[in-house]
């Protein structure tokens, strides 16, 4: 019996019977399928060929098939010119016509590597979509997530994704050296800077000494020759005949296109989203007024104290762009900060996984609702990632390339960040953790003391940059630390439980913010939804599992540092021990977005290369690119809805419509009345009465007046305007009593619960003339 068929070999000279379907199925089970006749000869066949039998009764010897050239596709060769002999069961008699050639038969050798990554991706997407819907029973969703993370970990261990770290530069690292003369000058200028920073004021002398100290410390610690004269001549030569040359390849065009998309997400509808201010905006604009009036503070003590950088940025924006003291002035500055952050997200992610990961990270960070809200709100929140991103980039690049100068730049940025936003105080902690992790790994053998000396140099530069703030902290330490101490300790209220227990609980809640709950603050988030859309969140968790397994296998410090930098940069939110309900806080956690989106970019960037490697060469890569683009487009559409529809709607519902009040006051002042005779009758937990004045163009005015303060206004002869909350019965009664000639009207807001009353009092006419010698009223 021939092993390729269930029929006995026919006698010589006879016509073999046609095989049945059952014969074909049996041949499949024996892994020697019967070739099916084709209508036309096939141009090629696939190795290994089917077992061929000679026309004689003897069985053809069985040969082992050659292994395919790659695991992802079979080997194809040209069909032989001569007719291929048929199997024994299909042998034709000499009188019969020649047997037809067999059809092409493609055998795919399926391996686990063909399925691990897509199965993990699908499971993670389904699981995260389930989490976003907040199901009552979380167990099925969690099981799917655990399976997804386990499978992607398996894929990472086997090397399916093909992502690797950029090669480290193999060169010796020397202890930080310094130029004694320049270091002495830096010390002298630093002392002068401290002396010139008295009374919490930036003076011309302060800036001169401060800049001198910074230049001297950078020169003192700079590694390599400083040919300042040659650099100056080069700049002067270029300025005499400036020339710019630019060339764009396909990759550069892709980067420009992605950057254009993310800039659009940052600035589109910036005037209207968000459309209203909160009390913090009023406080900040008053600080900007102080700057424009010549009060150049190092630290602004209003409203429990704030670092200075945003106020000088807003003052410059108001002066240069003519936007004045307005909400838009604040938003332009923070939106620009959000845009400047993105190239450094790209550069940091490039150190982690190459340029494809970098492009994906910049895209995800640019379209995500979380960083866009942080950048649009007009508060200092965007300054945290603005300095965290370049600090992490220069740290990682310096340690990889063994260049101490990058650590100096890192220190300069860390120092500037301390002038920006209080949570930026976590950045030096992250930098220190990074250097220590590097020093603990075998890669640092023979370089440990060198990199620690680099860290000391970076700290020295940061110290010089922070000198004015340090002087103010010496003068008034309580004010500088007040905001932090009220959250960490019991300055404002007693801790609600054991400190360690609250810390661990806060850490867990903060780590869950990316895929479960980003907190309850409506100003800078959509309350109680994940900080990431369900596509980005799934990619982030897969990327974190991939990094963890890659670290366990390769022991590269950068993988571990990227993961650990996330909780370190979350510390400003986690350390809200006195007010655990404020954690997670997307604004205080904003610095963590830099490693978060770098991690999320890993599986997205790996998809095209994975398809090319395991499913079919260049054509497969194209399909992989299509898949990655579909995921990216899906994430963009989800975040568009979150930012421009859901966040915008809930912000309008939550914020008081003080802009409407400002327009009513402005209209009154420009018609029958004046700005001085407009009032907002104060009511508990209602509007901040400074904000209608800001919208009306009177930023230093507070229109508040309480019902018991209305009596002196009876003698006012000019027309008067009063805005009231409809529930203010006391205020309504007092106005009717004091100004019976007035009339009520209702401002009908499109948002429920945002209506307000307008009480108009006409000007007094027909007054009696005073007697001669009496004063004119």
């Amino acid at each position: 019996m021939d092993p390729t068929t269930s029929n006995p070999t026919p006698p010589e000279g006879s016509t073999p019977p046609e095989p049945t379907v059952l014969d074909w199925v049996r041949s499949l089970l024996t892994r020697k399928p019967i070739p099916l006749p084709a209508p036309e000869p096939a141009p090629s066949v696939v190795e290994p060929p089917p077992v061929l039998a000679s026309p004689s009764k003897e069985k053809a010897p069985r040969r082992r098939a050659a292994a395919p050239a790659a695991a992802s596709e079979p080997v194809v060769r040209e069909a032989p010119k001569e007719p291929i002999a048929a199997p024994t069961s299909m042998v034709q008699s000499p009188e019969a016509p020649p047997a037809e050639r067999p059809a092409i038969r493609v055998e795919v050798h399926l391996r686990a590597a063909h399925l691990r990554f897509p199965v993990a991706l699908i499971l993670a997407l389904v699981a995260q979509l389930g989490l976003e819907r907040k199901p009552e029973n979380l167990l099925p969703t969690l099981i799917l997530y655990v399976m997804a993370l386990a499978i992607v970990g398996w894929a990472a261990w086997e090397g399916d994704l093909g992502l690797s770290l950029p090669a480290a530069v193999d060169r010796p690292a020397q202890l930080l050296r310094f130029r004694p003369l320049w270091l002495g000058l830096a010390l002298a200028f630093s002392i002068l800077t401290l002396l010139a920073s008295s009374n919490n004021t930036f003076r011309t002398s302060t800036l001169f000494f401060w800049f001198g100290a910074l230049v001297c410390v950078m020169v003192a610690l700079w590694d390599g020759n400083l040919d300042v004269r040659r650099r100056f001549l080069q700049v002067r030569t270029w300025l005499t005949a400036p020339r710019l040359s630019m060339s764009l390849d396909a990759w550069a065009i892709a980067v420009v296109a992605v950057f254009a998309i993310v800039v659009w997400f940052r600035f589109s509808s910036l005037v209207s989203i968000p459309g209203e201010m909160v009390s913090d905006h009023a406080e900040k604009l008053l600080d900007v007024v102080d700057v424009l009036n010549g009060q150049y503070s190092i630290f602004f003590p209003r409203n429990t104290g704030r670092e200075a950088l945003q106020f000088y940025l807003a003052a410059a924006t108001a002066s240069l762009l003519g936007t004045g003291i307005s909400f838009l002035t604040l938003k332009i500055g923070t939106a620009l900060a959000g845009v400047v952050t993105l190239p450094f997200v790209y550069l940091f992610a490039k150190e982690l996984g190459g340029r494809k990961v970098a492009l994906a990270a910049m895209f995800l960070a640019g379209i995500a609702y979380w960083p866009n809200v942080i950048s649009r709100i007009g508060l200092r929140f965007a300054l945290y990632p603005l300095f965290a991103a370049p600090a992490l980039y220069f740290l990682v690049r310096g340690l990889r390339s063994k260049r101490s100068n990058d650590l100096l730049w890192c220190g300069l940025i860390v120092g500037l960040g301390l002038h920006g936003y209080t949570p930026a105080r976590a950045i030096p902690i992250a930098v220190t953790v990074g250097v220590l992790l590097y020093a603990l790994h075998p890669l640092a053998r023979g370089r440990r003391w060198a990199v620690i000396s680099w860290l000391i140099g970076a700290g020295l530069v940061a110290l010089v940059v922070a000198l004015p703030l340090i002087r103010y902290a010496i003068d008034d330490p309580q004010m500088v630390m007040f905001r932090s101490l009220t959250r960490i300790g019991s300055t404002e209220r007693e801790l609600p439980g054991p400190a360690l227990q609250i810390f661990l609980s806060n850490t867990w809640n903060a780590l869950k913010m990316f895929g479960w709950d980003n907190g309850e603050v409506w100003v800078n988030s959509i309350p109680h939804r994940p900080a990431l859309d369900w596509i980005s969140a799934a990619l982030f968790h897969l990327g974190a599992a991939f990094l963890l397994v890659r670290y366990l296998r390769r022991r590269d410090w950068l993988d571990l540092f990227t993961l650990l930098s996330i909780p370190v940069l979350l510390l400003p939110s986690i350390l809200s021990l006195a007010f655990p309900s404020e954690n997670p806080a997307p604004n205080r956690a904003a610095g963590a977005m830099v490693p978060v989106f770098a991690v999320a970019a890993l599986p997205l960037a790996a998809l095209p290369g994975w398809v090319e490697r395991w499913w079919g060469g260049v054509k497969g890569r194209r399909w992989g690119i299509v898949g990655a683009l579909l995921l990216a487009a899906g994430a963009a559409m989800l975040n568009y809805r979150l930012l421009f529809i859901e966040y915008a709607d809930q912000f309008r519902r939550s914020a008081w419509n003080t802009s409407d009040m400002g327009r009513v006051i402005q209209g009154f002042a420009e018609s029958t009345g004046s700005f001085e005779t407009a009032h907002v009758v104060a009511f508990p937990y209602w509007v901040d009465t400074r904000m209608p004045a800001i919208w009306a163009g009177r930023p230093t005015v507070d229109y508040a007046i309480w019902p018991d303060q209305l009596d002196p206004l009876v003698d006012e002869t000019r027309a008067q305007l009063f805005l009231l909350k409809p529930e203010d019965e006391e205020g309504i009664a007092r106005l009717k009593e004091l100004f019976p000639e007035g009339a009520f009207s209702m401002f009908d807001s499109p948002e429920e619960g945002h209506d307000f009353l307008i009480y108009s009092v006409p000007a007094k006419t027909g007054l009696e003339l005073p007697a001669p010698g009496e004063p004119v009223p």
Side-chain angles (χ1 to χ4, degrees):
M1 183 80 67
D2 192 292
T4 62
T5 178
S6 60
N7 295 330
T9 304
E12 193 171 336
S14 63
T15 303
E18 183 177 352
T20 65
V21 174
L22 180 60
D23 294 331
W24 183 74
V25 172
R26 288 175 178 171
S27 70
L28 291 180
L29 295 177
T30 61
R31 303 180 65 181
K32 295 179 181 179
I34 298 174
L36 301 179
E40 294 182 2
S44 62
V45 295
V46 180
E47 286 188 20
V51 177
L52 304 179
S54 64
S56 65
K57 295 181 181 180
E58 296 179 0
K59 297 179 182 178
R62 182 179 299 176
R63 294 186 299 173
R64 186 180 299 274
S72 58
E73 54 180 324
V75 179
V76 180
R77 63 176 176 83
E78 290 295 326
K81 302 298 183 181
E82 296 80 16
I84 298 176
T88 311
S89 58
M90 301 293 290
V91 174
Q92 303 287 335
S93 63
E95 296 79 15
E100 296 180 349
R101 295 180 181 179
I104 296 176
R105 178 166 53 85
V106 178
E107 293 182 5
V108 178
H109 299 276
L110 200 62
R111 298 171 53 184
H114 290 87
L115 299 177
R116 281 190 289 251
F117 184 36
V119 169
L121 180 59
I122 293 171
L123 289 177
L125 291 171
V126 173
Q128 184 58 48
L129 182 59
L131 285 181
E132 188 162 308
R133 295 177 177 178
K134 297 290 193 293
E136 294 183 3
N137 184 10
L138 288 175
L139 184 59
T141 301
L142 294 179
I143 290 175
L144 288 179
Y145 237 139
V146 170
M147 292 173 59
L149 299 181
I151 294 172
V152 81
W154 181 20
W157 187 268
E158 296 294 337
D160 293 355
L161 275 64
L163 292 174
S164 59
L165 287 162
V169 177
D170 187 14
R171 67 180 179 187
Q174 297 179 344
L175 287 170
L176 187 66
R177 293 177 292 184
F178 61 91
R179 297 172 174 87
L181 175 61
W182 287 96
L183 192 61
L185 290 173
L187 178 60
F189 275 116
S190 297
I191 294 173
L192 293 173
T193 301
L194 287 173
L195 295 175
S197 300
S198 60
N199 298 323
N200 189 27
T201 302
F202 279 120
R203 304 175 179 85
T204 304
S205 59
T206 309
L207 299 179
F208 176 79
F209 294 140
W210 188 25
F211 183 75
L214 179 58
V215 170
C216 288
V217 75
M218 290 291 287
V219 172
L221 302 178
W222 193 262
D223 182 29
N225 295 325
L226 288 170
D227 194 347
V228 180
R229 184 174 180 276
R230 184 173 62 86
R231 297 285 184 184
F232 175 77
L233 292 176
Q234 288 176 346
V235 172
R236 190 177 68 176
T237 302
W238 184 88
L239 290 175
T240 56
R243 291 178 298 173
L244 291 176
S245 61
M246 182 183 301
S247 61
L248 292 177
D249 56 6
W251 182 257
I253 293 173
V255 172
V256 171
V258 168
F259 191 72
I261 293 171
V262 299
V263 169
W264 183 88
F265 266 86
R266 286 290 192 269
F267 281 97
S268 179
S269 303
L270 185 63
V271 174
S272 59
I273 300 176
E276 298 290 347
M277 292 188 290
V278 295
S279 293
D280 271 359
H281 295 110
E283 301 284 355
K284 282 181 167 47
L285 287 174
L286 291 176
D287 288 330
V288 176
V289 171
D290 290 343
V291 173
L292 293 175
N293 289 336
Q295 183 176 332
Y296 304 127
S297 299
I298 296 170
F299 190 85
F300 288 78
R302 182 182 280 113
N303 193 27
T304 70
R306 290 177 170 88
E307 291 80 2
L309 184 59
Q310 187 193 8
F311 309 124
Y312 290 101
L313 176 62
T317 303
S319 300
L320 297 176
L321 301 183
T323 51
I325 306 302
S326 66
F327 190 20
L328 181 60
T329 294
L330 296 177
K331 291 194 286 186
I332 289 174
T334 57
L336 283 173
V339 169
V340 174
T341 303
L342 295 174
F344 290 102
V345 172
Y346 178 98
L347 293 171
F348 173 75
K350 187 177 180 182
E351 295 292 325
L352 184 64
R355 68 178 191 174
K356 297 171 188 175
V357 174
L359 186 63
M362 184 172 70
F363 176 80
L364 292 176
I367 56 100
Y369 113 91
W370 170 29
N372 272 295
V373 168
I374 295 301
S375 299
R376 287 170 166 267
I377 195 60
L379 300 174
R380 297 175 300 155
F381 309 154
L383 300 181
Y384 185 13
L386 172 65
F387 294 107
L392 294 181
Y393 163 64
F394 282 113
L395 168 69
V396 172
R397 191 180 78 164
L399 294 179
R400 180 184 61 83
S401 62
K402 314 298 185 300
R403 294 192 301 188
S404 62
N405 292 340
D406 284 331
L407 272 293
L408 300 182
W409 289 117
C410 176
L412 188 149
I413 292 163
V414 168
L416 287 175
L418 297 177
H419 292 279
Y421 184 33
T422 306
R425 297 172 190 177
I427 300 176
I429 301 175
V431 171
T432 303
V433 169
V435 172
L436 294 179
L437 282 177
Y438 178 86
L440 291 174
H441 282 73
L443 181 66
R445 187 176 293 113
R447 305 184 181 97
R448 290 187 175 92
W449 289 111
V451 297
I452 291 175
S453 70
W454 298 355
L455 177 63
I456 295 172
L460 187 59
V461 173
L463 188 69
V464 170
V465 178
L467 279 175
L469 186 61
I470 292 172
R471 170 58 193 267
Y472 179 74
I474 294 172
D475 293 341
D476 194 351
Q478 181 68 22
M479 179 57 68
V480 173
M481 296 301 298
F482 181 78
R483 296 177 70 89
S484 300
L485 293 177
T486 58
R487 266 55 192 168
I488 297 175
S490 54
T491 301
E492 188 170 335
R493 58 170 285 187
E494 294 295 328
L495 299 184
L500 180 59
Q501 181 180 341
I502 299 173
F503 176 81
L504 295 176
S505 175
N506 279 3
T507 302
W508 173 241
N509 290 333
L511 292 174
K512 290 190 301 181
M513 69 175 287
F514 311 115
W516 178 248
D517 189 334
N518 62 190
E520 60 185 18
V521 182
W522 59 266
V523 174
N524 48 47
S525 69
I526 302 174
H528 301 301
R529 67 147 286 114
L532 306 180
D533 65 279
W534 58 269
I535 294 178
S536 299
L539 293 172
F540 166 70
H541 291 118
L542 291 177
F546 167 79
L547 271 189
L548 178 60
V549 173
R550 190 171 76 171
Y551 172 74
L552 293 176
R553 185 173 183 184
R554 301 185 182 181
R555 292 292 195 270
D556 193 290
W557 75 278
L558 182 54
D559 289 341
L560 183 60
F561 170 67
T562 302
L563 293 174
L564 291 181
S565 67
I566 296 173
V568 171
L569 294 171
L570 289 174
L571 281 176
S573 177
I574 293 171
L575 290 176
S576 182
L577 305 180
F579 298 89
S581 61
E582 295 182 358
N583 175 70
N587 54 319
R588 298 174 190 163
M593 70 175 62
V594 180
V596 162
F597 287 108
V599 171
L602 289 168
L604 181 62
L607 184 57
W610 176 86
V611 176
E612 178 184 17
R613 183 179 184 187
W614 297 104
W615 283 96
V618 177
K619 290 185 178 179
R621 179 179 181 80
R622 292 171 183 168
W623 283 109
I625 293 174
V626 170
L629 289 176
L630 289 176
L631 287 174
M637 289 187 291
L638 290 172
N639 285 284
Y640 177 89
R641 178 173 182 81
L642 288 174
L643 175 64
F644 293 100
I645 299 176
E646 294 186 26
Y647 173 74
D649 289 346
Q650 68 96 21
F651 195 96
R652 280 193 296 267
R653 292 192 302 267
S654 302
W656 293 112
N657 50 330
T658 55
S659 61
D660 291 331
M661 296 179 179
R663 283 189 287 270
V664 170
I665 292 173
Q666 188 173 18
F668 166 76
E670 294 174 352
S671 55
T672 61
S674 66
F675 286 108
E676 292 77 15
T677 57
H679 312 280
V680 178
V681 180
F683 190 80
Y685 307 109
W686 194 36
V687 299
D688 185 327
T689 51
R690 298 169 298 180
M691 291 190 291
I694 295 172
W695 287 111
R698 296 293 185 271
T700 59
V701 175
D702 187 348
Y703 280 124
I705 188 168
W706 290 92
D708 59 1
Q709 298 172 337
L710 293 171
D711 292 350
L713 299 179
V714 173
D715 298 330
E716 176 61 63
T717 60
R718 294 173 293 179
Q720 298 187 78
L721 176 76
F722 298 90
L723 306 181
L724 303 91
K725 188 173 175 60
E727 293 80 7
D728 187 3
E729 297 179 358
E730 180 186 359
I732 293 172
R734 289 289 292 158
L735 287 174
K736 287 181 178 180
E737 177 186 351
L738 297 175
F739 308 100
E741 70 276 17
F744 278 106
S745 62
M746 179 71 76
F747 183 90
D748 187 14
S749 171
E751 300 298 332
E752 184 178 356
H754 288 59
D755 301 340
F756 57 88
L757 287 173
I758 304 173
Y759 193 69
S760 302
V761 179
K764 294 180 180 180
T765 57
L767 297 177
E768 296 182 1
L769 294 176
E774 293 184 2
V776 178

